[in-house]
Amino acid sequence: MNKPTILIVEDDQAVRKLISTTVELEGYQYRTAETGREGLIELVSKQPDILILDLGLPDMDGVSIVETVRGWSNLPIIIVSARSEDQDKIRALDAGADDYLTKPFSVEELLARLRALLRRLRTDQQTSLLQSSIIENGSLKIDYAAGIVWINDKELHLTPIEYKLISLLAKNIGKVLTHNYILNEVWGKYYDDVPVLRVFMAGLRKKLRENSPGEDYIQTHIGVGYRMLRVEL
Amino acid sequence: MVSISLNGQDDFPLFSEASERVGKLKIYFGYAAGVGKTYAMLSDAQEILKDGLDVVVGYVEPHDRPETTSLLNGFEQLSPLSLTYKNMTLKELDLNAALKRKPELILVDELAHTNAEGSRHQKRFQDIEELLRAGIDVYTTVNVQHIESLNDQVSAITGVVVRERIPDRLFDLADQIEVVDIEPVELLDRLNKGRIYQQHKIAQALSHFFTMEKLVALREIALRKTADHINRKANQHTSTNKESPTFTNEHILVCLSGSPSNMKVIRTAARMARAFSAKLTALYVEAADDEHSDAYRSSLQSNIRLAEDSGAQIVTVYGEDIPKQIIEYARASKISKIVAGRTKHLTKWRSKQSFVDKLLDYDPNIDLYIIPDNQDGQLTSRKKTVDFSFSFMETLKSVFLLLICTLIGLWFYVLGFSEANIIILYILGILVNAMVTKGRKYSLVSSIVSVLIFNFTFTEPRFTFKVSDPGHIITFFIMLVAALITSTLTKRIAEQARQASRKAYFTEVLLETSQKLQKTSDEEAIYYETAQQIMKLTNRSIVFYPSKEDHLVDPLFFKHESFTGDQASLLNEHEKAVAEWAFKNNKRAGAGTQTLSNAKCLYLVIRGREHPLAVAGIVYDQSDRLGIFEKSLAIAMLDECALALDKEKATQAQNELYTEMQQEKLRSTLLRAISHDLRLPLTSISGNASLLSASADKLSTEHKQLLYQTIQDDSAWLIRLIENLLSITKLDSGQLQLRTEIELFEEVIDEAIQHLDPAIKDHSLNVETVDDLLMAKMDTQLIIQVFINILNNAIRYTPSGSTISIVARREGPLARIEISDDGDGLTDEEQAHIFDLFYTTNSANSDGRRGLGLGLFLCQSIIEAHGGKIYVKNHFPKGTTFGFTLQAEEVSAHE
């Protein structure tokens, strides 16, 4: 894959400049747009590889842009939001955004998110070729066909819900899954007991940590959800 | 003197929901049937209909007059409500349909009509008042003989007492009065031609009502009444403040009694009040020895109602000496004129002076109007109706007393005591009798019987009623007189005691209510205390409907022990609707009133200073009505309740204002402090940046690196400050509730650690969560901020290489978090003030910048907002421990 193109949709000039300079220095190509409308035109005409989208645009609701984009494309979307837009952030993630950054963010943080998404982009392309029923991440291995999880080549004994949780996270590796999304997928519709999810997640993480110390597979996003991190050995 | 205002409940200025416009009333006024009122009304309405207004015929009496009926064409007509009463089907105006239809103008015939049993209101004019309140204009018709204040005059002329009457206030309320007038000659002509009544009724009408003289007189009264109305309207226009009726200095007092003839007195007084534009007060003096028949009481009730309808304020006072009470009240209330009936019946048998003389005696300067009382048959009305029925218990007591006297008398006789001793003994017996029995008749009869027994048993010849010694006749006579006087005086003292105790009870109960209400702290307690007091008084259950934003909310039911009925039937939708009506219309309704009287409770409005606050329902499960005394006391209590509710609301508003002020103060202090402290890092950032851009080439790489680092550090400091400020505004903005969720401490601590000062790398951090699943309900962002602030303080104020440890554990119902360092620790003085706003220690921290004294203050606010506790203590062996507690939560998670 040659240099990926990043579309930056951000109305604040200073932040736009900061992001564009950062990605340029890292060797990515970029395009910028100031408004949602402009951004959508760029998206259609230039077909970028990653979208960095500010939620507080003057002309359009960021969440509806995510929904529109998800109508035709799977491209990774990073949401940039202010702290006051917490609820919008979760709505955008539910609508299909992959990751988020909260202002103020550091340049390193932005670059780390970009790298993670590009890596996923690459593995997605590979796995889609292989159609493999086995996912590997660091020392973690999940066999969907057999329904077994190994860690360090040792079978991990999980309860049915824990298994569902880890499968869901692994299938969406690198992506932040909101509480609502996970509850919906694992427990079914209209179940909204987030504390129960926390308890199960804490149990799952404990099992992972005990069997593979020093590696952190599941990242908590307080108030938002969980994400499985790609672990490089 | 204790006086209670009974009125208010019915005589309140009409006010409508949400101060919408009130409808206009036009009355077509005639002097007799057949003058063409309905015709005039309908033809006017036809014109209006042509102008495009929304006109609906609510109800027009079917008269079989073809001209009139033909005028109904073209109108939308509401179908009348059919009510079956005693096998008769009666047609009435469908008020609900009219309110629902809500036209601009509605035509309703016959204002003075009395509705059939089962209608919402007893009288049609009440329906019309409600339509007006709903903002609907009304056209209606009425004849002169139906006007309350003219009733006496009309009946004097025609000899017919009209039962269907409307209060004068309705007439005064009308925006337009149109007199429909024809020459009496023409009216008689019409009648003869059969255009008013059917043929068979004509003869009867001609002989009774439709005589020339009567019609001329009626016409004169009608025209005069209209002239009065025009006069009043004109005066109203000239007065600057139309809202409050301008009273002249005149204040008229009318004396109420239970006599049917009292109505005439009330009407006269009302007419006078109107003529003088005077305030009218109706006074009822409840005397101590009043024992009235039911007929008297119900007649009194209707007189009170008439006075209320005539616009009088009703006052009840208690006292023995009626003229004295009247004059006392008149003096206190600056009454200028007193209107009373020529009342022989108000004169006590023992007073030599007449009632009028007495009044004049007490105050010779007052204007006194005596209205002749021509209903002689009714004169006994106020006189105590002698009740010849004897109660068994009372009779038994009397017989027993006589028996004892006789037995002791016989013993005296045997011992040979003189007759005088025995006479004294009997008089003692009568004295006791007067004290222990209710009603004078027992002591009176005892007096006579005593004399007879004495005669029979002790005087010669014994055991006969014969008298041998003429001296004995004198003895008997003196004995009888002595007995009668004794019994009368004793009775009077007993009655006075009863009256005094009643008065004292009244004052005491009100005082107690007021005291109890003063101690209450919230709305519910106010209702509770009021209900307890009213229940104690009336022995009935009480329902309260409090209001919220102009609507009644769920009722509070206070059950009296005597209540045995079905509670649900008292609180059903129907009852609630009656309460709602009372609330909306600001008038009493339900049982014992003229509105919706089939309800199970009497609904009284609790009125605050500005608008109704709630509705109280007194359960009428017993057959008898509330006495005047109880009712007025209950209303006085509800007034106390309203006062307390108003006060409670005011206190609440004041508290809110106070908190707001406090917050405002805090905000401005913060703003002042912050704008000062923001300048420092901003100066450094902008200075360094301009230095770099202007002379980058002149600076060494290390020097430049230093400047970059400074810029970065300063902005990081600013970011932390902004985070804290955001948290403060969140806490501070009052109306914003904490957004709590149940969170795992493990996750929260992990998250906090990710946002720490980068200098953490020079320290070692231990996290020990004793309980893996330790959870608490919290606003996550704010609790993370607490962790970050405490940890960053620990990082900044301890030398590099120090150890910082976090311990989270469960202690019973609490989650306890302690963050300890092994730095130099704090002095006691510092510990005492560490959580104060803008408190900073003098110890230099790692980046050399003084803190704002915001972080820990914020931590304290956040933890306290969560209902937890925050503290600081020394860490063993050295350093400081910051700790806080939150309410721990359990989550049951089953697969």
Side-chain angles (χ1 to χ4, degrees):
Chain A
M1 195 160 131
N2 46 21
K3 279 188 182 175
T5 311
I6 297 164
L7 175 61
I8 303 158
V9 186
E10 162 70 65
D11 61 320
D12 184 81
Q13 201 221 329
V15 180
R16 195 168 64 236
K17 188 83 195 136
L18 172 70
I19 300 175
S20 57
T21 314
T22 311
V23 298
E24 190 179 17
L25 282 172
E26 204 63 13
Y28 304 114
Q29 289 187 327
Y30 72 90
R31 312 226 22 118
T32 59
E34 270 181 61
T35 63
R37 209 160 300 283
E38 236 177 86
L40 285 173
I41 295 167
E42 285 284 321
L43 267 174
V44 177
S45 57
K46 298 296 185 310
Q47 301 274 337
D49 299 297
I50 292 182
L51 169 63
I52 298 178
L53 175 67
D54 181 50
L55 274 187
L57 289 175
D59 63 329
M60 281 176 84
D61 173 24
V63 179
S64 71
I65 297 179
V66 174
E67 280 165 356
T68 316
V69 174
R70 278 287 171 265
W72 79 78
S73 163
N74 246 337
L75 96 156
I77 302 173
I78 299 179
I79 298 294
V80 180
S81 73
R83 199 178 115 162
S84 55
E85 296 160 351
D86 264 359
Q87 276 324 100
D88 289 345
K89 178 170 79 192
I90 292 170
R91 278 171 53 222
L93 287 168
D94 273 336
D98 293 80
D99 205 344
Y100 67 90
L101 282 169
T102 307
K103 286 180 196 172
F105 52 86
S106 71
V107 173
E108 287 80 20
E109 227 176 316
L110 169 65
L111 288 175
R113 306 287 167 98
L114 279 176
R115 274 196 293 272
L117 281 181
L118 284 169
R119 205 160 46 222
R120 202 188 97 202
L121 216 54
R122 247 172 273 134
T123 41
D124 273 4
Q125 277 158 357
Q126 286 162 13
T127 41
S128 67
L129 286 174
L130 288 169
Q131 283 295 337
S132 160
S133 71
I134 294 178
I135 286 184
E136 281 190 67
N137 180 21
S139 53
L140 182 72
K141 195 165 89 179
I142 306 174
D143 185 341
Y144 290 121
I148 299 171
V149 179
W150 287 274
I151 194 152
N152 287 328
D153 296 324
K154 211 171 83 186
E155 194 182 328
L156 194 60
H157 294 285
L158 297 178
T159 68
I161 284 188
E162 284 169 348
Y163 174 73
K164 276 192 202 168
L165 283 173
I166 200 167
S167 315
L168 186 69
L169 288 166
K171 276 179 193 160
N172 294 284
I173 189 162
K175 192 172 169 174
V176 178
L177 303 181
T178 62
H179 293 138
N180 272 340
Y181 179 78
I182 300 173
L183 286 168
N184 249 332
E185 293 291 314
V186 176
W187 277 273
K189 264 201 169 138
Y190 311 121
Y191 192 89
D192 58 355
D193 199 347
V194 178
V196 169
L197 171 61
R198 294 217 173 87
V199 171
F200 279 106
M201 210 49 107
L204 176 61
R205 295 172 70 172
K206 198 173 168 192
K207 281 184 188 172
L208 289 174
R209 252 202 314 270
E210 277 165 5
N211 289 287
S212 166
E215 287 175 22
D216 210 355
Y217 286 95
I218 301 173
Q219 194 181 36
T220 307
H221 289 253
I222 285 277
V224 180
Y226 297 92
R227 154 160 64 189
M228 180 168 285
L229 294 172
R230 184 162 288 283
V231 176
E232 305 285 339
L233 286 180
Chain B
M1 179 166 45
V2 187
S3 69
I4 328 141
S5 165
L6 248 182
N7 107 307
Q9 282 295 349
D10 272 342
D11 184 31
F12 211 71
L14 292 172
F15 94 110
S16 61
E17 295 169 43
S19 68
E20 281 169 21
R21 120 195 165 84
V22 177
K24 291 201 181 330
L25 176 66
K26 181 171 182 179
I27 296 179
Y28 289 83
F29 187 47
Y31 65 88
V35 293
K37 298 180 300 295
T38 312
Y39 185 87
M41 174 174 81
L42 287 173
S43 34
D44 278 6
Q46 285 282 7
E47 290 301 313
I48 287 168
L49 189 67
K50 274 184 206 139
D51 291 347
L53 245 79
D54 186 15
V55 186
V56 164
V57 173
Y59 188 80
V60 169
E61 300 279 343
H63 283 293
D64 296 333
R65 294 176 206 161
E67 306 97 314
T68 308
T69 318
S70 70
L71 269 176
L72 278 170
N73 292 336
F75 285 115
E76 177 186 341
Q77 295 195 39
L78 289 181
S79 52
L81 194 68
S82 291
L83 289 163
T84 315
Y85 178 66
K86 290 188 181 160
N87 295 329
M88 285 196 301
T89 308
L90 300 165
K91 289 199 160 53
E92 294 294 345
L93 165 70
D94 191 346
L95 181 59
N96 282 332
L99 287 171
K100 210 172 142 198
R101 169 67 180 76
K102 205 172 194 301
E104 282 168 280
L105 173 64
I106 191 163
L107 312 182
V108 185
D109 212 2
E110 290 298 337
L111 180 60
H113 175 77
T114 300
N115 288 337
E117 194 98 353
S119 306
R120 182 185 310 182
H121 298 296
Q122 281 181 6
K123 298 282 188 178
R124 182 169 287 161
F125 71 79
Q126 290 172 310
D127 291 349
I128 285 175
E129 281 180 315
E130 200 168 341
L131 287 169
L132 292 172
R133 275 195 292 270
I136 303 171
D137 292 348
V138 181
Y139 280 13
T140 186
T141 65
V142 75
N143 275 332
V144 67
Q145 69 262 34
H146 298 297
I147 307 281
E148 184 72 68
S149 67
L150 303 177
N151 193 258
D152 300 320
Q153 294 180 29
V154 171
S155 63
I157 293 164
T158 61
V160 178
V161 180
V162 180
R163 301 226 172 276
E164 296 185 332
R165 295 191 293 259
I166 60 156
D168 286 58
R169 74 183 141 82
L170 223 88
F171 202 79
D172 298 335
L173 189 78
D175 297 273
Q176 290 182 54
I177 302 282
E178 184 166 330
V179 185
V180 184
D181 186 37
I182 56 170
E183 280 295 329
V185 184
E186 203 179 319
L187 183 64
L188 285 172
D189 186 40
R190 272 195 201 181
L191 182 73
N192 285 322
K193 284 182 181 155
R195 281 160 65 184
I196 301 172
Y197 293 120
Q198 283 160 351
Q199 210 63 41
H200 64 274
K201 280 195 193 163
I202 292 176
Q204 194 193 355
L206 271 174
S207 61
H208 274 91
F209 209 85
F210 285 78
T211 63
M212 195 60 188
E213 314 84 77
K214 285 180 183 173
L215 288 179
V216 169
L218 284 173
R219 187 182 182 205
E220 194 190 332
I221 295 172
L223 291 174
R224 187 167 291 161
K225 176 76 187 169
T226 317
D228 280 355
H229 179 78
I230 292 165
N231 214 358
R232 275 173 73 83
K233 282 278 163 185
N235 285 342
Q236 262 177 32
H237 279 291
T238 50
S239 73
T240 42
N241 183 7
K242 275 198 259 173
E243 293 302 313
S244 63
T246 46
F247 290 119
T248 53
N249 286 330
E250 296 288 346
H251 188 169
I252 295 176
L253 182 84
V254 57
C255 305
L256 287 180
S257 81
S259 152
S261 62
N262 188 235
M263 286 198 161
K264 191 179 162 192
V265 180
I266 296 167
R267 287 194 204 105
T268 311
R271 264 204 311 279
M272 275 172 66
R274 218 170 307 252
F276 288 119
S277 292
K279 235 169 110 179
L280 182 63
T281 300
L283 183 73
Y284 178 67
V285 183
E286 193 167 354
D289 51 358
D290 272 358
E291 278 170 38
H292 297 304
S293 63
D294 284 350
Y296 183 86
R297 282 190 180 281
S298 82
S299 153
L300 178 63
Q301 289 277 359
S302 61
N303 288 350
I304 286 174
R305 202 168 288 159
L306 171 70
E308 272 176 356
D309 282 342
S310 311
Q313 181 179 349
I314 314 298
V315 176
T316 310
V317 297
Y318 301 92
E320 178 79 2
D321 188 351
I322 296 169
K324 191 174 173 209
Q325 293 296 342
I326 292 172
I327 291 296
E328 260 180 25
Y329 182 84
R331 279 198 191 131
S333 313
K334 301 203 166 53
I335 300 284
S336 52
K337 292 178 167 54
I338 294 179
V339 181
R342 191 199 58 193
T343 44
K344 285 186 205 150
H345 52 275
L346 277 174
T347 319
K348 300 238 163 205
W349 59 271
R350 61 177 172 274
S351 9
K352 292 188 186 80
Q353 290 170 301
S354 76
F355 173 67
V356 176
D357 289 342
K358 270 195 143 179
L359 276 179
L360 285 172
D361 240 25
Y362 285 122
D363 191 345
N365 296 322
I366 207 143
D367 287 3
L368 196 56
Y369 293 80
I370 304 301
I371 310 305
D373 199 335
N374 49 11
Q375 281 166 293
D376 295 312
Q378 306 280 352
L379 273 181
T380 53
S381 44
R382 177 132 197 166
K383 211 189 279 173
K384 273 145 273 170
T385 46
V386 183
D387 185 0
F388 287 107
S389 64
F390 285 87
S391 132
F392 178 72
M393 264 316 286
E394 305 297 310
T395 315
L396 201 70
K397 275 185 209 166
S398 306
V399 171
F400 181 71
L401 279 170
L402 284 173
L403 197 70
I404 293 217
C405 289
T406 311
L407 285 175
I408 301 175
L410 282 171
W411 183 47
F412 281 6
Y413 189 80
V414 171
L415 292 178
F417 287 3
S418 74
E419 280 171 359
N421 285 321
I422 300 169
I423 293 173
I424 293 289
L425 187 70
Y426 275 105
I427 288 180
L428 178 70
I430 286 153
L431 206 140
V432 173
N433 183 304
M435 265 158 57
V436 298
T437 57
K438 287 186 197 124
R440 272 180 68 188
K441 56 197 168 202
Y442 301 102
S443 50
L444 287 177
V445 171
S446 288
S447 309
I448 297 161
V449 173
S450 297
V451 174
L452 291 177
I453 294 178
F454 178 70
N455 176 10
F456 187 76
T457 322
F458 300 106
T459 57
E460 292 300 336
R462 289 186 69 194
F463 308 112
T464 60
F465 287 113
K466 283 187 190 135
V467 184
S468 56
D469 183 358
H472 271 134
I473 297 189
I474 304 294
T475 312
F476 296 153
F477 179 73
I478 292 171
M479 182 179 167
L480 182 65
V481 169
L484 286 176
I485 290 174
T486 309
S487 86
T488 309
L489 286 178
T490 315
K491 208 77 215 167
R492 203 148 124 214
I493 289 164
E495 286 299 341
Q496 270 165 355
R498 187 181 70 93
Q499 177 196 336
S501 77
R502 196 180 204 193
K503 213 191 246 177
Y505 175 71
F506 186 97
T507 323
E508 197 185 315
V509 167
L510 264 193
L511 194 68
E512 189 186 279
T513 312
S514 153
Q515 275 170 350
K516 282 196 169 159
L517 285 175
Q518 255 166 25
K519 282 185 206 142
T520 53
S521 52
D522 60 8
E523 235 184 283
E524 210 157 309
I526 292 172
Y527 289 128
Y528 175 80
E529 286 301 345
T530 314
Q532 294 305 319
Q533 292 299 104
I534 298 182
M535 262 159 38
K536 210 156 69 174
L537 173 80
T538 62
N539 292 332
R540 293 160 196 258
S541 308
I542 304 290
V543 190
F544 278 110
Y545 288 89
S547 74
K548 203 174 241 170
E549 283 149 11
D550 285 342
H551 281 284
L552 293 185
V553 293
D554 288 341
L556 304 166
F557 182 67
F558 298 95
K559 195 173 147 197
H560 190 263
E561 52 210 16
S562 72
F563 180 70
T564 47
D566 178 18
Q567 183 175 331
S569 73
L570 293 176
L571 305 173
N572 61 20
E573 281 307 305
H574 176 69
E575 292 293 316
K576 193 175 177 185
V578 180
E580 189 89 44
W581 189 93
F583 183 71
K584 284 270 153 61
N585 292 279
N586 203 359
K587 284 180 151 206
R588 66 170 81 150
T593 70
Q594 293 190 0
T595 301
L596 299 162
S597 46
N598 57 348
K600 293 208 169 57
C601 306
L602 164 68
Y603 292 97
L604 300 171
V605 182
I606 301 175
R607 294 197 180 112
R609 263 191 299 270
E610 279 150 18
H611 35 73
L613 300 173
V615 174
I618 300 176
V619 177
Y620 266 51
D621 55 341
Q622 300 137 358
S623 50
D624 55 325
R625 295 176 154 213
L626 274 183
I628 308 174
F629 176 75
E630 279 145 335
K631 200 149 143 195
S632 50
L633 194 44
I635 288 169
M637 280 175 180
L638 291 179
D639 284 346
E640 289 286 337
C641 174
L643 229 89
L645 286 174
D646 258 344
K647 205 179 100 202
E648 165 70 18
K649 288 214 162 108
T651 317
Q652 247 175 34
Q654 208 167 22
N655 282 346
E656 272 164 32
L657 204 70
Y658 181 74
T659 341
E660 219 164 88
M661 261 167 55
Q662 285 290 319
Q663 282 176 348
E664 201 46 56
K665 212 168 123 193
L666 182 68
R667 249 192 292 271
S668 64
T669 320
L670 268 178
L671 208 63
R672 237 180 301 125
I674 288 155
S675 38
H676 174 257
D677 283 76
L678 276 177
R679 238 180 292 158
L680 289 168
L682 284 175
T683 315
S684 138
I685 292 171
S686 69
N688 286 329
S690 62
L691 192 63
L692 281 166
S693 66
S695 41
D697 43 343
K698 290 181 207 151
L699 297 168
S700 68
T701 320
E702 295 92 71
H703 198 164
K704 273 198 263 186
Q705 201 54 49
L706 195 72
L707 295 183
Y708 290 141
Q709 193 56 48
T710 316
I711 294 177
Q712 229 177 346
D713 287 350
D714 279 338
S715 6
W717 189 89
L718 278 178
I719 288 171
R720 279 200 301 271
L721 174 69
I722 304 278
E723 288 297 317
N724 275 337
L725 284 181
L726 275 176
S727 305
I728 284 182
T729 49
K730 192 175 174 185
L731 272 186
D732 204 35
S733 53
Q735 62 269 50
L736 194 82
Q737 297 275 313
L738 291 180
R739 282 224 305 258
T740 56
E741 265 193 81
I742 297 175
E743 296 275 0
L744 267 176
F745 271 103
E746 204 184 357
E747 293 183 351
V748 174
I749 294 170
D750 275 355
E751 177 76 14
I753 288 171
Q754 285 169 35
H755 294 92
L756 290 183
D757 195 314
I760 185 69
K761 60 185 184 291
D762 302 327
H763 296 67
S764 62
L765 179 67
N766 297 324
V767 182
E768 188 191 342
T769 38
V770 178
D771 182 352
D772 274 345
L773 290 180
L774 186 64
M775 293 184 140
K777 204 178 245 182
M778 60 178 94
D779 188 312
T780 324
Q781 292 297 343
L782 292 179
I783 295 296
I784 288 175
Q785 200 61 46
V786 171
F787 275 106
I788 292 175
N789 284 352
I790 297 178
L791 285 168
N792 276 349
N793 270 349
I795 294 164
R796 271 190 280 157
Y797 293 97
T798 56
S800 32
S802 314
T803 306
I804 300 170
S805 58
I806 308 174
V807 180
R809 61 169 182 276
R810 191 177 171 133
E811 276 182 15
L814 296 178
R816 184 181 296 282
I817 315 295
E818 289 194 337
I819 299 167
S820 313
D821 63 63
D822 54 359
D824 298 331
L826 294 168
T827 64
D828 287 350
E829 165 76 15
E830 285 169 334
Q831 285 192 5
H833 293 289
I834 197 82
F835 293 112
D836 291 356
L837 184 59
F838 305 127
Y839 180 81
T840 48
T841 61
N842 293 322
S843 15
N845 59 36
S846 53
D847 56 10
R849 172 164 295 129
R850 208 167 62 84
L852 255 185
L854 215 58
L856 287 174
F857 168 73
L858 178 62
C859 291
Q860 187 183 29
S861 312
I862 292 172
I863 296 299
E864 281 171 1
H866 279 80
K869 280 208 169 66
I870 192 165
Y871 54 89
V872 61
K873 60 182 186 185
N874 289 326
H875 182 56
F876 184 79
K878 68 189 202 104
T880 312
T881 296
F882 282 93
F884 62 87
T885 57
L886 291 177
Q887 203 69 33
E889 289 284 339
E890 288 284 0
V891 168
S892 54
H894 304 289
E895 294 221 6

